[in-house]
Amino acid sequence: IGKIENPLYFIENTNKEDNIHLKLKPTLSASIVKSHVRFGVEIAKKYKLPKEIIAAIKEHHGTSLIKYFYVEAYKENPDVDVSLFTYPGPKPQSKITAILMILDSIEAASRTIEIPTRENLEGLIKNIVNDKMAQGELNDSGLTLKDIETIKRISFQKIIVSLHERIKYPELPDENEKDSKNEKSTNGKSNNDKNDKNKDNKESKIGKEINKDIKKVPIKHNNEKETLKYKDNSQKDKDKEKNNKDKNVVMKK
């Protein structure tokens, strides 16, 4: 609730293109970011919120470092005072505020991952928890190692659902590819039909040639000797010749 005082200075209320901090010194940006804890406590007290809520506002960042702005300042001056970039604390004094600290950090960091895969998120959660432990932020919270493992497991389950891990689905065939395949199939069929037609024409031509030759082949009857008869006009000529002979005989008589 402390961010209500200066909402546009927090990334969740703006975007990268309108990032006001790009125009500010790292020390000033860090001061504005830190102030949301103080403003939050003041507002909570003003509206008489429960003491547990006020404690959570005070402790959920502990004495952790505002790394982004510290790194930017360090680039300009390696001797910069690190206390200008740390929250005032105190460190979490209960399991609840310690859990809030861990989950707040995980949620904020998870939004910076371009490809939120299971492996990336598991590594992110592990690094954040290990960092908090190494900095001593959880020392006063009463959390056990078993509690921390439970927090890591459940936070992963919740964050993976909220981010909806992106899955690559198989792509549908491109329309151009479809058309190409159909055209190829049609052309293939057309070529086959053309080949079949040419084959039929060739066979028909051959058939005609065979039939033409068959008409010239002599027909041989049963029990007939090797003397062959043809289906032609030779018999008529013989009959005509015989008639002429008979006619000559009659004339001689």
Side-chain angles (χ1 to χ4, degrees):
I1 59 176
K3 294 179 180 179
I4 292 173
E5 296 294 320
N6 297 297
L8 297 181
Y9 286 89
F10 298 90
I11 193 64
E12 60 266 34
N13 299 319
T14 183
N15 55 58
K16 292 181 179 180
E17 289 74 20
D18 299 327
N19 189 351
I20 299 175
H21 292 287
L22 296 176
K23 302 176 182 179
L24 303 178
K25 288 288 186 179
T27 50
L28 179 56
S29 294
S31 176
I32 294 171
V33 171
K34 286 197 298 181
S35 68
H36 86 276
V37 174
R38 175 168 53 84
F39 287 135
V41 171
E42 291 174 359
I43 294 171
K45 288 179 178 179
K46 179 180 178 180
Y47 290 96
K48 297 180 172 51
L49 297 183
K51 61 181 182 180
E52 290 83 5
I53 299 296
I54 295 173
I57 294 172
K58 284 183 179 180
E59 301 169 12
H60 79 286
H61 281 301
T63 59
S64 58
L65 180 68
I66 305 173
K67 291 182 179 179
Y68 178 83
F69 295 119
Y70 174 71
V71 171
E72 292 298 310
Y74 186 85
K75 291 177 183 177
E76 298 176 4
N77 177 20
D79 297 324
V80 66
D81 186 358
V82 69
S83 66
L84 297 174
F85 301 90
T86 55
Y87 285 98
K91 295 176 181 179
Q93 300 298 302
S94 69
K95 289 185 177 183
I96 291 175
T97 54
I99 292 171
L100 180 60
M101 169 187 275
I102 294 171
L103 297 184
D104 181 63
S105 297
I106 291 173
E107 191 277 331
S110 66
R111 285 188 277 108
T112 65
I113 299 179
E114 294 183 1
I115 304 176
T117 62
R118 293 178 177 271
E119 293 77 12
N120 289 344
L121 290 172
E122 285 177 344
L124 176 71
I125 292 170
K126 181 180 179 181
N127 290 338
I128 288 174
V129 173
N130 290 345
D131 182 65
K132 297 299 181 186
M133 293 176 66
Q135 298 299 322
E137 295 295 327
L138 307 178
N139 291 353
D140 301 331
S141 66
L143 287 176
T144 65
L145 292 176
K146 184 178 180 180
D147 293 332
I148 291 173
E149 289 303 315
T150 301
I151 293 168
K152 288 164 65 176
R153 185 182 74 253
I154 295 177
S155 63
F156 170 76
Q157 293 172 355
K158 297 300 181 182
I159 203 72
I160 198 71
V161 171
S162 67
L163 291 175
H164 303 290
E165 181 180 1
R166 293 189 286 271
I167 301 174
K168 186 176 180 180
Y169 292 94
E171 296 180 358
L172 292 173
D174 184 72
E175 289 299 325
N176 293 331
E177 185 179 349
K178 280 184 178 180
D179 294 340
S180 177
K181 286 184 178 180
N182 290 336
E183 184 178 354
K184 186 176 180 181
S185 176
T186 302
N187 290 339
K189 185 177 180 181
S190 177
N191 290 335
N192 289 338
D193 292 342
K194 188 176 180 180
N195 291 336
D196 291 342
K197 187 175 180 180
N198 292 336
K199 184 177 179 182
D200 292 341
N201 291 337
K202 187 175 181 180
E203 290 179 351
S204 176
K205 187 176 180 180
I206 294 173
K208 289 180 180 179
E209 294 294 333
I210 293 174
N211 291 335
K212 185 178 179 181
D213 293 339
I214 289 175
K215 291 180 181 179
K216 297 179 182 180
V217 175
I219 299 175
K220 182 178 179 180
H221 297 282
N222 291 335
N223 300 321
E224 188 176 6
K225 295 182 179 179
E226 291 301 323
T227 303
L228 299 177
K229 294 184 179 180
Y230 293 84
K231 279 191 172 182
D232 51 24
N233 294 326
S234 59
Q235 183 63 40
K236 289 183 179 181
D237 294 339
K238 290 181 179 180
D239 293 340
K240 185 176 180 180
E241 183 179 354
K242 183 178 180 181
N243 290 333
N244 289 333
K245 286 182 179 180
D246 293 341
K247 185 176 179 180
N248 293 331
V249 171
V250 171
M251 290 177 66
K252 286 180 179 181
K253 289 182 180 181

